[in-house]
Amino acid sequence: MDFLNYAFMQRALLAAVLVGITAPAVGIYLVQRRQALMGDGIGHVAMTGVGLGFLLSWSPVWMATAVSVVGAVTMELIRWYGRTRGDIALAMLFYGGMAGGVMFINLAPGGSNANLTSYLFGSLSTVSESDVTAICLLAAFVVVVTLGLRRQLFAVSQDEEFARVTGLPVRALNLLTAITAAVTVTVAMRVVGLLLVSALMVVPVAAAQQLSRSFAATFAIAVAIGVTVTVGGTVTSYYQDVPPGATIVLLTIGAFIALSVLAAPLARRRARALAAAQPAGDPAECAIPATRAAGGEVGV
């Protein structure tokens, strides 16, 4: 535990815990909406914000947040109105964001592409006190939105038409989800990196779904996995001198594989128990689906 004696590791661990909470908390809604790669696209756009931060001598974290929010809102508008050429517009937005970041940082006084490395792949030693302050504020926003509006966001993520019929402001909630995802990307970029943050938003959720189909249980398990792998990856990075972002993502994938292996016999045992509990004379179509019998996909 000697790493706790160093201020930079204390800041890095605090940032890692916050990233481990916020990334899966937003990712569960993106997975439900089948927008698993949205975080990757926002990460590309955020590069322009980082470059502008260096060019204008402003905080790269706050500038990346502003640019990411604009990019996320644009992505959502393209999804609504893009129709036939929406994919082309999104591709230009993503690649333009990456190119803009490289250009702006090279135009900055004393800037070079080397300055982007810690933002692209994460870095422990470069997490400053101002970064921690920004990460704490942004993470608080993400937690309030994802927990406070979980029922509404879940309803919209499951079925937009049904949510609209029930009177929910679907477009406003979709925009809020996009903005929250953008904020999460900038929360995570100092620890995981912009190019790898999407994995931390999606893979813990996919791993949690191996054990549960209940929304509430999946949410809790995904956050637990997120915190475990971010803290574990940060500590491993300190002792082994390896990149933190890559270490965290590899640990996350390892957790997914391990839980997938464990989930297979559990699923077979659950199916046998369900078959044994069903009266012998019932036709197959009367059987209760396994996911609902287990308590779940409709639970919030």
Side-chain angles (χ1 to χ4, degrees):
M1 300 291 284
D2 59 308
F3 57 84
L4 292 177
N5 296 327
Y6 299 99
F8 80 91
M9 277 301 293
Q10 295 171 8
R11 294 192 296 268
L13 283 171
L14 176 57
V17 170
L18 294 175
V19 170
I21 294 171
T22 56
V26 174
I28 191 169
Y29 299 108
L30 299 183
V31 171
Q32 292 287 336
R33 289 156 56 97
R34 293 176 175 82
Q35 293 180 327
L37 295 180
M38 185 176 185
D40 188 51
I42 295 174
H44 285 67
V45 176
M47 289 178 60
T48 292
V50 173
L52 276 174
F54 279 103
L55 179 63
L56 302 176
S57 299
W58 292 350
S59 167
V61 174
W62 288 113
M63 183 60 73
T65 301
V67 173
S68 296
V69 167
V70 173
V73 171
T74 303
M75 290 168 61
E76 192 63 25
L77 293 175
I78 290 173
R79 189 173 75 90
W80 293 345
Y81 303 114
R83 304 297 181 188
T84 56
R85 296 192 176 273
D87 56 338
I88 298 176
L90 288 174
M92 289 192 294
L93 181 67
F94 297 165
Y95 299 136
M98 182 181 294
V102 174
M103 179 63 70
F104 287 138
I105 204 164
N106 276 278
L107 292 176
S112 68
N113 290 341
N115 298 112
L116 277 177
T117 302
S118 64
Y119 292 91
L120 292 176
F121 303 105
S123 174
L124 298 181
S125 59
T126 58
V127 180
S128 65
E129 291 186 4
S130 61
D131 288 338
V132 171
T133 301
I135 289 172
C136 287
L137 293 173
L138 295 171
F141 167 80
V142 172
V143 171
V144 168
V145 171
T146 54
L147 289 180
L149 296 175
R150 64 188 182 280
R151 294 183 183 277
Q152 293 88 336
L153 294 177
F154 175 80
V156 173
S157 299
Q158 284 291 100
D159 190 334
E160 286 191 7
E161 292 302 322
F162 177 77
R164 186 175 288 108
V165 170
T166 60
L168 289 176
V170 172
R171 288 197 171 182
L173 289 170
N174 280 335
L175 280 175
L176 184 60
T177 301
I179 291 171
T180 307
V183 171
T184 303
V185 167
T186 55
V187 167
M189 71 179 181
R190 300 299 276 141
V191 176
V192 185
L194 292 173
L195 296 184
L196 299 174
V197 62
S198 184
L200 196 58
M201 298 170 75
V202 173
V203 180
V205 177
Q209 287 177 336
Q210 303 303 308
L211 300 180
S212 174
R213 289 292 183 259
S214 162
F215 178 83
T218 300
F219 189 103
I221 295 171
V223 169
I225 293 171
V227 172
T228 301
V229 297
T230 51
V231 172
T234 300
V235 174
T236 302
S237 177
Y238 170 78
Y239 282 113
Q240 301 298 323
D241 192 24
V242 290
T247 305
I248 289 169
V249 171
L250 290 174
L251 286 177
T252 309
I253 294 173
F256 172 81
I257 294 172
L259 290 178
S260 297
V261 172
L262 291 174
L266 291 176
R268 288 195 294 268
R269 186 180 306 171
R270 191 180 299 119
R272 286 196 296 268
L274 181 64
Q278 182 184 343
D282 284 355
E285 60 268 19
C286 293
I288 301 173
T291 53
R292 294 186 182 273
E297 57 187 354
V298 296
V300 180

